[in-house]
Amino acid sequence: MRQQLEEFAASLPGFEKTYAWDCAQFKVAGKLFAWADEEDCWISVKASKEQQAILCEQPNIEPSPYAHIHGWVRITIEGEDDLDMACDLLQEGYSQVVAKLPKKKQAELDR
């Protein structure tokens, strides 16, 4: 499932993968939108504070350690439903970051 998650992230325009804190970091235009543990199957994803409250009512989703004060959530991936949710959350986190980029950079990603 880890590989499927990374393949989905890699399909997003401008996707970059770096490493820090013993985790894979998923970025677009140098801006972080998710990070994933290299051994356990979980991913932390950018969300708004409003989204966080709703998402954390779902099974396997909790406030992300250290970044929860900014709305980030962590999903533990135990099955296909969790994987689908993780991909949806990746798309949403990515979209939030892209929306804050300068218009010129957004246009470059659309090419």
Side-chain angles (χ1 to χ4, degrees):
M1 285 194 210
R2 171 64 189 227
Q3 183 176 350
Q4 292 167 298
L5 188 65
E6 288 203 28
E7 287 172 2
F8 175 80
S11 73
L12 299 170
F15 172 77
E16 305 163 11
K17 181 178 174 184
T18 61
Y19 292 91
W21 316 312
D22 295 326
C23 294
Q25 295 186 332
F26 298 173
K27 299 179 179 183
V28 59
K31 305 289 185 185
L32 186 68
F33 68 93
W35 73 85
D37 187 77
E38 286 293 289
E39 295 179 16
D40 296 330
C41 205
W42 61 259
I43 187 165
S44 286
V45 183
K46 182 176 184 63
S48 69
K49 291 292 284 181
E50 295 80 20
Q51 290 170 317
Q52 182 189 55
I54 295 165
L55 289 168
C56 287
E57 294 175 1
Q58 304 292 318
N60 296 332
I61 299 178
E62 62 186 346
S64 183
Y66 310 109
H68 67 280
I69 61 172
H70 301 291
W72 287 67
V73 295
R74 178 166 74 181
I75 180 168
T76 301
I77 302 166
E78 295 179 348
E80 287 296 321
D81 289 343
D82 296 331
L83 179 61
D84 291 342
M85 175 65 84
C87 288
D88 290 345
L89 292 173
L90 272 174
Q91 178 68 57
E92 180 62 27
Y94 170 87
S95 296
Q96 286 183 31
V97 169
V98 169
K100 292 183 180 181
L101 294 174
K103 298 294 181 201
K104 182 178 178 181
K105 189 64 176 174
Q106 290 179 25
E108 290 173 8
L109 293 173
D110 288 336
R111 292 184 202 161

